[in-house]
Amino acid sequence: MNQLASTDYKTYLGEDELPTHYYNVRADMVTDHAPILNPATLQPMTVADLEPVFCTELAKQELNTTDRFIPIPEEVRDFYKMYRPSPLVRAKFLEKALGTPAKIYYKFEGNNTSGSHKLNSAIAQAYYAKQQGITHLTTETGAGQWGTALSMACGFFDIDLQVYMVKCSAEQKPYRKAVMETYQARVTPSPSSTTNVGRAILAEHPDSSGSLGTAISEAVETALNTENCRYVLGSVLNQVLLHQSIIGLEAKAALDKIGETADILIGCAGGGSNLGGLMAPFVADKLAGKSAPHFIAVEPASCPSLTRGRFAYDFCDVGKVTPLAKMYTLGSGFIPSANHSGGLRYHGMSPILSQLYHDGILDEARSVEQTSVFEAAELFARVEGTLPAPESSHAIRVAIDEALKCKETGEEKTIVFGLTGTGYFDLVAYMAYNNGTMTDYIPTDEDLEAGFAYIPKLEGIQ
C-alpha cells in the first residue's frame, strides 16, 4: 500500500486506497426508514414494481436493507481514478481570517468537469444501465450539476440522455446546458410542453419557474413512454446515498491517517445525496455506540423541508407518478422561490436522512438565508481560492458560524464540511449578490400550509 501523500494543506489517499465497496447505512439502522409504497396499491414496492422505471440492479440496491457493503464494479472504480480519491483540505486561510482556534477541514468534490460530487453516482448508474443493455436514460436536474455529471457518464458509455432542467435554473445557467450538450445530452427546460405533466402544469401556472418535483414527473413520464429507456435520479433515493458513501469513506480514512477526529460534521441538504454520503461511515460509528461527530444539515430558508416540513408519506414528484416515500416534506406541490441554490430546491428530504433525523442520529438541521450564504461564499473564495457552489456555501456558512463560536469559547474543535462543488456556472447569482439585487425569501406559514395540502391522507398508514 502506498504511503499517504500529505501536506499541511491537502491530504490525499493513494489510488490503491480508493474504497472497493460502497457502505449501505440502512443495514445498520436501528429503525430502518419506512418502505416506499406503490401509489396504486399502497403496498411496499418490490424490485418487479421498480423495474419499469429503474435498472434492475439499481432497483435491488434501492430496496437492500441487509448488505452493509456492496462492491464497486471494477469499471466504475477505474473511472473514479480520473478524479478520486478527492482531497481533504485544511482551510488554514479561513481559520486565520476568522481568528478561530478551531481546525476546519473540507472534503472537496469539485475536481471533475461536472464540478460536483454528482459524478460519483452518475457513473455507477450509467454503468448498470449499460450492463443491462439500456440505450436511453432520462433525468431531471436543478442547478445542473447532476445533469452535467450524468451527461458525462452517458457520453462515456454511449447512452442517449434526455435531461429536464428546472426552468429558472436553465435561465440562470445557460452554460450548464452547453456543457450537457457537449456530452450529447438533450436538455429541455421544465415544465415543458413535451409531456402531459408539463402541459398540465403550464395550463394552470403558465409562468411557473419549475421545481425538481415537476422535472422528475416529466422525466419519469418520458422514460415510461420510450422504448428501452429508464429513469435515473441524482439525489434522495437510497441507491444514490449508497454510491455517495464513497465521499465519507474517503474523508474518514484521511482523517484517520492524519490522526484527526471530527467534532462537527456539516453538509448542505437538498435531497440528501451529499450530506448522506459524507455522513454515512461516521453514522455507522454512532449507530454502533462509538464516538461520533455532531451532525448538522444545512438547508435554504426558502425550502426548509427538515426544519419546517412534516414527517409523512408523500409523492416524490408533482405529477404523483413516483412511489410514496416517508420523508420530511413540504408537500409535492410546493414550489420553492427561484433562489440561486437550484440543487436544494426540492420539497422533500432523503427517506434515510429523514429517518435518521427523526431518530435523533442526525443531530441538527438549520436553515439559512441566501444573502448570508453568499457572504460566506465570497469570504471563502477570497481566502481559500476556490469559488464554491451556492449549495456548498450553505455548509460553509454554518462552518464559519461554528468556528466563530469556538473563537468566543476558546474551544479547539475540529470542524469538517462537504464542499460539494464549484460555482463557476453560478456567476449570475454572485452578480446578484454583489450588485445588491439578491433578496431573501422565507415562506410564510400560509405558504407552507398550501404545500402541506398536497400530502396525501393515507388511511391506516403512519
Side-chain angles (χ1 to χ4, degrees):
M1 179 177 291
N2 291 342
Q3 293 296 311
L4 179 74
S6 177
T7 70
D8 288 340
Y9 190 63
K10 292 188 181 73
T11 298
Y12 289 98
L13 301 176
E15 284 185 6
D16 61 343
E17 296 175 282
L18 189 73
T20 59
H21 290 70
Y22 298 120
Y23 167 60
N24 181 17
V25 70
R26 294 184 72 194
D28 287 334
M29 288 172 66
V30 177
T31 56
D32 184 32
H33 72 270
I36 54 175
L37 302 180
N38 187 312
T41 66
L42 298 184
Q43 295 300 307
M45 296 287 285
T46 65
V47 170
D49 290 332
L50 293 173
E51 282 183 307
V53 177
F54 298 114
C55 300
T56 300
E57 184 57 34
L58 293 170
K60 292 177 180 177
Q61 291 180 3
E62 185 65 26
L63 302 181
N64 191 322
T65 62
T66 56
D67 296 323
R68 295 187 73 237
F69 292 98
I70 295 175
I72 302 174
E74 192 65 32
E75 196 167 352
V76 174
R77 291 185 77 240
D78 286 343
F79 186 96
Y80 280 160
K81 289 176 182 177
M82 295 185 196
Y83 66 101
R84 305 205 70 85
S86 66
L88 180 72
V89 185
R90 173 83 180 269
K92 285 191 170 184
F93 300 109
L94 180 60
E95 294 170 12
K96 181 179 179 181
L98 298 175
T100 179
K103 287 183 282 188
I104 305 173
Y105 291 88
Y106 59 91
K107 184 72 162 122
F108 183 45
E109 291 292 308
N111 285 334
N112 64 79
T113 299
S114 76
S116 83
H117 69 295
K118 296 291 189 177
L119 193 55
N120 300 331
S121 185
I123 194 63
Q125 294 192 53
Y127 167 82
Y128 291 122
K130 188 69 173 182
Q131 290 298 107
Q132 191 175 327
I134 301 300
T135 54
H136 304 275
L137 291 176
T138 67
T139 196
E140 78 298 320
T141 193
Q145 292 161 328
W146 168 247
T148 305
L150 190 61
S151 298
M152 292 178 64
C154 287
F156 185 78
F157 284 117
D158 193 26
I159 299 172
D160 175 73
L161 176 63
Q162 169 67 59
V163 179
Y164 289 93
M165 187 173 186
V166 175
K167 184 178 291 182
C168 65
S169 290
E171 293 169 350
Q172 292 167 354
K173 304 170 187 179
Y175 297 120
R176 276 282 181 196
K177 180 174 181 288
V179 175
M180 289 182 245
E181 290 173 340
T182 297
Y183 287 99
Q184 305 302 303
R186 288 169 285 111
V187 184
T188 303
S190 172
S192 75
S193 60
T194 65
T195 66
N196 293 329
V197 169
R199 287 188 289 271
I201 292 170
L202 288 173
E204 186 175 355
H205 304 288
D207 296 323
S208 173
S209 61
S211 71
L212 281 169
T214 299
I216 289 171
S217 294
E218 294 205 87
V220 171
E221 180 183 321
T222 299
L224 290 172
N225 289 283
T226 303
E227 185 177 356
N228 202 27
C229 183
R230 295 295 186 275
Y231 164 72
V232 292
L233 181 65
S235 191
V236 181
L237 297 177
N238 305 333
Q239 57 190 271
V240 180
L241 270 67
L242 173 73
H243 305 149
Q244 295 296 354
S245 67
I246 194 169
I247 301 172
L249 291 166
E250 287 184 7
K252 195 168 189 297
L255 287 168
D256 289 345
K257 285 285 187 179
I258 59 176
E260 288 284 3
T261 300
D263 297 303
I264 302 172
L265 194 70
I266 304 168
C268 64
S273 64
N274 151 73
L275 178 64
L278 178 63
M279 281 176 47
F282 300 91
V283 166
D285 286 343
K286 189 167 187 178
L287 292 171
K290 301 177 183 177
S291 176
H294 180 80
F295 300 111
I296 305 176
V298 191
E299 62 186 6
S302 60
C303 193
S305 59
L306 280 174
T307 52
R308 297 176 69 191
R310 293 181 179 174
F311 189 43
Y313 268 106
D314 196 11
F315 289 96
C316 297
D317 69 313
V318 174
K320 301 181 179 180
V321 297
T322 59
L324 290 151
K326 192 168 187 181
M327 57 187 175
Y328 279 90
T329 178
L330 299 171
S332 63
F334 179 79
I335 304 295
S337 68
N339 66 42
H340 292 287
S341 296
L344 304 184
R345 297 177 69 251
Y346 185 60
H347 67 273
M349 185 56 60
S350 151
I352 287 177
L353 291 181
S354 292
Q355 188 68 58
L356 290 171
Y357 183 54
H358 190 70
D359 293 343
I361 303 299
L362 199 175
D363 300 285
E364 184 181 354
R366 296 184 197 175
S367 64
V368 290
E369 299 175 11
Q370 67 174 350
T371 51
S372 70
V373 166
F374 276 86
E375 177 187 43
E378 292 206 345
L379 172 60
F380 184 87
R382 288 195 299 272
V383 300
E384 287 292 326
T386 296
L387 190 72
E391 293 79 13
S392 310
S393 301
H394 287 66
I396 295 173
R397 173 72 272 167
V398 170
I400 289 174
D401 292 344
E402 290 299 308
L404 291 175
K405 287 181 184 178
C406 290
K407 182 178 180 179
E408 294 176 1
T409 64
E411 294 175 283
E412 298 181 0
K413 291 184 177 180
T414 298
I415 300 167
V416 178
F417 71 89
L419 182 54
T420 61
T422 55
Y424 300 107
F425 288 106
D426 300 282
L427 297 181
V428 169
Y430 279 95
M431 290 168 62
Y433 177 74
N434 289 326
N435 65 27
T437 59
M438 179 179 287
T439 59
D440 292 315
Y441 172 75
I442 300 176
T444 65
D445 290 342
E446 290 74 19
D447 292 333
L448 294 183
E449 286 298 329
F452 294 149
Y454 287 87
I455 299 175
K457 297 175 176 60
L458 307 176
E459 293 294 331
I461 297 176
Q462 299 297 318

